Amino acid sequence: MLGSICACTELLAIVKSTSNIVGASDMAPPSLLETATVVEKMVTRNVDLRSDTVTKPTEAMRAAMASAEVDDDVLGYDPTALLLETEMAKMMGKEAALFVPSGTMGNLICVLVHCDIRGSEVILGDNCHINIYENGGISTIGGVHPRQVKNNDDGTIDIDLIEAAIRDPRGELMFPSTRLICLENSHANSGGRCLSVEYTDRVGEVAKKHGLKLHIDGARIFNASAALGVPVDRLVEAADSVSVCLSKGIGAPVGSVIVGSKNFITKAKRLRKTLGGGMRQIGILCAAALVALKENVGKLESDHKKTRLLADGLNEIKGLRVNPCSIETNIIFIDIVDGSRTTTEKIFKYLEERGILLMQEKASRLRVVLHHQISASDVQYTLSCFQQAVQIENGN
Amino acid sequence: MAKVAEKMVTRTVDLRSDTVTKPTETMRVAMANAEVDDDVLGRDPSCFRLEEEMAKITGKEAALFVPSGTMGNLISVLVHCDIRGSEVILGDNSHIHIYENGGIATLGGVHPRTVRNNEDGTMDIDLIEAAIRDPKGELVYPTTRLICLENSHGNTGGRCLSVEYTERVGEVAKQHGLKLHIDGARIFNASVALGVPVDRLVRAADSVSVCLSKGIGAPVGSVIVGSNSFITKARRLRKTLGGGMRQVGILCAAALVALHENVEKLESDHKNARFLADGLNEIKGLRVDTSSVETNIIYIEIEENSGTTAAKLSKDLEEYGILIMPMGTSRLRVVFHHQISDSDVRYTLSCFERAVAGEPNENGN
């Protein structure tokens, strides 16, 4: 959609530059229609690398949604939602599951259910999604106090720092009560880094030792599982609850699923209603999610391959820097090298004019996220546009 | 015999709520073909269209699609009362107060001040005014910021608040610098029953929460409407609560069909409700206040001499395939929607007659 908007507004500028490139001054100028067609082909190509949430429903999903068996999931249960929840519980090796409208609600419910007593504290990474991108809801809505511990570049939090952050119950007169530790796998802000099963189990042991619960923000747990070659249920075995996104790399249009014990999910269902997430004939969305689970988990490895290819290519471009060690799944952070004449704004704009969308993280950083609706030729196209963008700014 | 019995019980007449409506063929086609995009990173085009249409229908500046009426009300109350220490005046028998898990308080930190709901769904204007906190007492009082009305009013039997009453409450609100929110889960029912266009009916309100998944028949969702600045804040709070969905146009496409096709069917739901109410009132042992049946909801009182209870009658009816909602020991609720046919209504009446009379149904039970 953005591509076609660009086409209208940028057409004139690109016609000019196109005719310069083809040396149109030496021959009869291409007809406006011809030029427009070439240009239109250029700018209406849409390579959306802003996030893996942009994935659109496939034909199979649309067919499934149209014929989904549904019922009122609040008054009773929706049969298709039940199918999805049963399947997810099985896949994740937990007793029960609950469909929720978003990953934010998934995390919010999990933190609030584990911390249902007023005066609770949760230990989490200072650079995790819950802390940075969820509007501080666990506090502003849930009244839970967040104890932030430094996230390392690889997405982990040092075990000894976690332990040091656990409140000593003898200080309870002035301390909140630590009830929960949260991990994030894969860890987005460090570039989609994977937490190993060994690390996860060690954190689980610390939690158990201190009578705490462990929640994993597994928005991209399937990516981590594919990258590590560890089955997803093994990967989250130590966790009391996990929040799993279906609307990201798995490609469903909407939703996440939380998994945990039966008792946990019963409380979660009630809190979901309170937050306003109790939807009626929800089987429509769950039908698409079931298709997504069947069809797209197997495609994640190829997203990771394309990501590595793009990352390597970008790292070759003088003026850009990608940390190759940090490319484990489907996310790339691209830094502008000091002294380079280009800026994130200029690259961002140049790419947008050519139908490539990505995210500006801050002054000197861009983010790219791959998903199954990005083809190998999209990756090539993106790489060449990046090359041109940087060359132009460096006066080549 | 078994075949006859089987035929009898596989007919289902679901009168538990108007939320049970299933998507129609046109809705399913619309959902399958819906144009979608990421509604968090940008705008989903089908959602945008729905929100524009709802804003126009209700006469407000902007609108926001939300997963449920509960979230619609929660967001509205919390946005109007975004300063800590706020109080909201609402009916003691309103949906927000009774059936929303007390979320405005437990999650939103807003203090509820309840005022008695009359049998017609209204609250006395003088009682509302008396409940407004005097700012001079602020050292010990919370600060009243909002009044909530509910139209149609669920717990009193789908009663309609007139446009005159609504505007009088609106004036009280304005006079005291308060906002007015209408829980308009069934505002279309009220509008049709009163013969007043929706936008006129809610003109005095700063915000309205409108359900699309009830009588209008969409599979999921509600829409909140209000000013541009209100909806901007609402969108942010929706994200915080976890209601920010991605390719949500699928659901919005069905909702658009619902708006186009089903608003005009509400009048016949009301006719069916009146027909059944009159019929039930004739049954010895049951009592319906037929003057309270204004829209699509009927409350049925079971009299002491009837020889049955809400639980028993509900179970007996279930064997005929009729699903209703028991409310307490001697009260039942029935809610109509467009997927209840005229013949379903007659069948329901005859089953009630048989069940109350204590006739064994033909299964030999």
Side-chain angles (χ1 to χ4, degrees):
Chain A
M1 198 174 138
L2 263 167
S4 44
I5 293 168
C6 282
C8 304
T9 54
E10 304 297 325
L11 198 60
L12 198 54
I14 291 161
V15 167
K16 283 195 181 137
S17 62
T18 311
S19 43
N20 285 342
I21 289 166
V22 301
S25 52
D26 292 338
M27 46 185 155
S31 74
L32 197 60
L33 196 60
E34 280 171 48
T35 314
T37 314
V38 168
V39 166
E40 212 183 287
K41 280 190 86 164
M42 271 178 67
V43 296
T44 55
R45 177 170 196 163
N46 200 336
V47 181
D48 197 342
L49 299 164
R50 288 174 299 166
S51 177
D52 42 6
T53 56
V54 306
T55 45
K56 294 207 166 85
T58 59
E59 276 315 307
M61 286 182 205
R62 285 179 181 274
M65 289 192 284
S67 55
E69 195 193 341
V70 297
D71 209 332
D72 189 323
D73 197 54
V74 174
L75 283 192
Y77 65 87
D78 177 289
T80 309
L82 184 69
L83 260 157
L84 173 69
E85 287 164 355
T86 307
E87 174 112 8
M88 281 299 296
K90 193 156 142 240
M91 271 181 133
M92 308 298 291
K94 303 298 178 196
E95 288 179 357
L98 186 73
F99 181 83
V100 290
S102 68
T104 294
M105 194 185 281
N107 286 328
L108 183 59
I109 288 176
C110 290
V111 172
L112 266 49
V113 171
H114 289 306
C115 300
D116 55 0
I117 300 173
R118 193 187 304 105
S120 296
E121 184 163 89
V122 55
I123 292 170
L124 72 179
D126 65 350
N127 199 17
C128 70
H129 196 272
I130 295 175
N131 198 44
I132 304 293
Y133 295 120
E134 300 190 8
N135 310 86
I138 60 168
S139 304
T140 64
I141 303 288
V144 179
H145 196 253
R147 186 74 181 273
Q148 295 139 65
V149 180
K150 191 175 167 299
N151 268 124
N152 300 317
D153 286 344
D154 62 0
T156 60
I157 319 171
D158 284 352
I159 302 270
D160 51 355
L161 290 183
I162 294 178
E163 289 206 88
I166 299 173
R167 301 281 190 163
D168 186 338
R170 289 171 300 178
E172 70 170 16
L173 190 62
M174 53 210 73
F175 290 163
S177 301
T178 311
R179 296 195 192 280
L180 178 68
I181 303 172
C182 286
L183 294 177
E184 184 181 325
N185 200 5
S186 63
H187 193 267
N189 269 4
S190 49
R193 305 289 297 260
C194 305
L195 306 185
S196 69
V197 65
E198 293 80 20
Y199 172 80
T200 306
D201 286 351
R202 278 175 63 208
V203 177
E205 276 157 38
V206 170
K208 249 191 188 56
K209 186 162 79 158
H210 295 266
L212 312 177
K213 301 290 185 196
L214 174 61
H215 169 70
I216 295 179
D217 177 355
R220 298 188 175 97
I221 195 74
F222 284 115
N223 293 78
S225 161
L228 294 168
V230 176
V232 79
D233 57 349
R234 179 64 190 92
L235 195 50
V236 303
E237 204 177 274
D240 296 283
S241 60
V242 191
S243 180
V244 184
C245 280
L246 302 170
S247 65
K248 291 193 168 76
I250 307 303
V254 170
S256 288
V257 174
I258 27 183
V259 295
S261 72
K262 276 205 182 77
N263 180 32
F264 175 84
I265 293 297
T266 300
K267 294 183 188 168
K269 194 165 187 171
R270 190 181 183 205
L271 183 55
R272 181 187 69 172
K273 185 83 175 73
T274 308
L275 289 165
M279 294 184 276
R280 304 284 173 173
Q281 283 75 24
I282 194 55
I284 289 149
L285 297 178
C286 295
L290 280 160
V291 171
L293 277 176
K294 249 194 209 64
E295 293 189 345
N296 295 336
V297 179
K299 294 183 187 166
L300 295 175
E301 184 47 51
S302 107
D303 292 345
H304 300 168
K305 280 204 181 79
K306 290 186 199 123
T307 307
R308 280 191 294 270
L309 199 78
L310 180 58
D312 289 341
L314 290 169
N315 214 16
E316 300 281 309
I317 300 174
K318 219 170 131 172
L320 299 181
R321 187 183 60 239
V322 171
N323 177 4
C325 313
S326 73
I327 307 299
E328 297 179 10
T329 54
N330 64 328
I331 299 177
I332 308 173
F333 280 109
I334 305 155
D335 290 308
I336 310 286
V337 171
D338 281 334
S340 165
R341 262 189 288 192
T342 189
T343 62
T344 54
E345 284 85 13
K346 289 184 182 144
I347 297 180
F348 182 85
K349 204 166 184 304
Y350 187 90
L351 293 172
E352 193 185 54
E353 286 168 11
R354 281 147 190 79
I356 300 172
L357 306 174
L358 37 70
M359 291 274 217
Q360 269 184 281
E361 287 294 306
K362 46 183 184 188
S364 58
R365 190 170 239 217
L366 295 162
R367 188 191 81 165
V368 144
V369 183
L370 274 77
H371 51 84
H372 76 100
Q373 288 171 341
I374 299 294
S375 66
S377 102
D378 287 334
V379 172
Q380 284 309 319
Y381 176 66
T382 300
L383 192 52
S384 64
C385 289
F386 259 100
Q387 286 160 346
Q388 289 162 28
V390 176
Q391 275 169 9
I392 281 177
E393 290 308 319
N394 287 340
N396 295 337
Chain B
M1 179 76 123
K3 241 197 162 130
V4 169
E6 217 185 280
K7 276 191 88 162
M8 271 179 64
V9 294
T10 54
R11 177 178 195 161
T12 304
V13 182
D14 197 344
L15 297 163
R16 290 174 298 163
S17 177
D18 42 5
T19 56
V20 304
T21 46
K22 294 206 165 88
T24 59
E25 273 315 303
T26 35
M27 284 182 205
R28 286 181 180 272
V29 170
M31 288 191 285
N33 297 326
E35 197 194 342
V36 297
D37 208 332
D38 189 322
D39 197 55
V40 173
L41 284 192
R43 297 309 318 275
D44 175 291
S46 300
C47 182
F48 187 73
R49 242 175 277 148
L50 172 69
E51 288 168 354
E52 264 195 331
E53 178 132 355
M54 282 301 298
K56 196 152 142 243
I57 289 174
T58 55
K60 302 298 177 195
E61 286 179 355
L64 185 73
F65 181 80
V66 289
S68 68
T70 295
M71 194 184 281
N73 287 328
L74 182 60
I75 288 176
S76 298
V77 172
L78 266 50
V79 171
H80 288 306
C81 299
D82 56 0
I83 300 173
R84 192 187 306 103
S86 295
E87 185 165 86
V88 54
I89 292 170
L90 72 178
D92 65 351
N93 201 15
S94 66
H95 194 272
I96 295 175
H97 193 64
I98 303 293
Y99 296 121
E100 299 190 7
N101 311 85
I104 60 168
T106 63
L107 297 179
V110 179
H111 195 254
R113 184 74 181 273
T114 54
V115 172
R116 202 179 149 285
N117 269 125
N118 299 317
E119 279 171 12
D120 62 0
T122 60
M123 294 177 269
D124 286 351
I125 301 270
D126 51 355
L127 289 182
I128 293 178
E129 281 194 288
I132 299 172
R133 302 280 190 164
D134 185 341
K136 286 179 289 179
E138 70 172 14
L139 190 61
V140 316
Y141 290 162
T143 304
T144 312
R145 293 193 194 282
L146 178 67
I147 302 173
C148 286
L149 294 177
E150 185 180 326
N151 198 5
S152 64
H153 194 268
N155 271 2
T156 50
R159 305 291 298 261
C160 305
L161 306 185
S162 68
V163 67
E164 294 79 21
Y165 172 79
T166 306
E167 309 228 307
R168 279 174 64 210
V169 176
E171 275 159 28
V172 169
K174 247 189 191 57
Q175 193 188 24
H176 294 267
L178 312 177
K179 300 289 186 197
L180 173 62
H181 170 70
I182 296 180
D183 177 355
R186 297 186 175 99
I187 196 74
F188 283 114
N189 293 78
S191 161
V192 163
L194 293 168
V196 176
V198 170
D199 57 350
R200 179 74 190 83
L201 194 50
V202 303
R203 204 160 76 186
D206 295 283
S207 60
V208 191
S209 180
V210 183
C211 280
L212 302 170
S213 65
K214 292 194 168 75
I216 307 302
V220 171
S222 288
V223 174
I224 355 180
V225 294
S227 70
N228 278 328
S229 100
F230 174 84
I231 293 297
T232 299
K233 293 181 189 169
R235 190 180 297 274
R236 189 182 184 203
L237 183 56
R238 180 187 70 174
K239 183 85 174 72
T240 307
L241 293 169
M245 295 183 277
R246 303 286 172 171
Q247 283 76 24
V248 75
I250 289 150
L251 298 176
C252 297
L256 278 160
V257 170
L259 276 177
H260 297 153
E261 292 188 345
N262 295 337
V263 179
E264 57 201 30
K265 294 184 187 165
L266 296 174
E267 182 48 49
S268 93
D269 294 343
H270 301 170
K271 281 204 182 78
N272 282 341
R274 279 192 296 273
F275 177 86
L276 184 65
D278 289 341
L280 291 172
N281 208 23
E282 299 284 309
I283 300 174
K284 213 165 139 185
L286 299 182
R287 188 182 64 243
V288 175
D289 175 7
T290 49
S291 65
S292 74
V293 180
E294 298 178 7
T295 54
N296 64 327
I297 299 177
I298 306 174
Y299 275 104
I300 306 156
E301 303 293 335
I302 300 173
E303 290 176 331
E304 272 180 35
N305 59 8
S306 65
T308 187
T309 61
K312 185 172 185 307
L313 188 49
S314 173
K315 205 165 184 306
D316 291 342
L317 288 167
E318 205 180 303
E319 285 173 23
Y320 289 106
I322 297 173
L323 305 174
I324 54 163
M325 195 83 94
M327 311 281 263
T329 45
S330 58
R331 201 169 207 232
L332 298 166
R333 188 190 77 167
V334 147
V335 184
F336 282 85
H337 52 83
H338 73 99
Q339 286 169 341
I340 300 294
S341 66
D342 293 345
S343 104
D344 287 334
V345 179
R346 287 190 294 272
Y347 175 68
T348 300
L349 185 55
S350 71
C351 293
F352 260 97
E353 284 163 355
R354 280 188 285 188
V356 177
E359 272 177 34
N361 70 34
E362 268 94 79
N363 295 13
N365 293 333

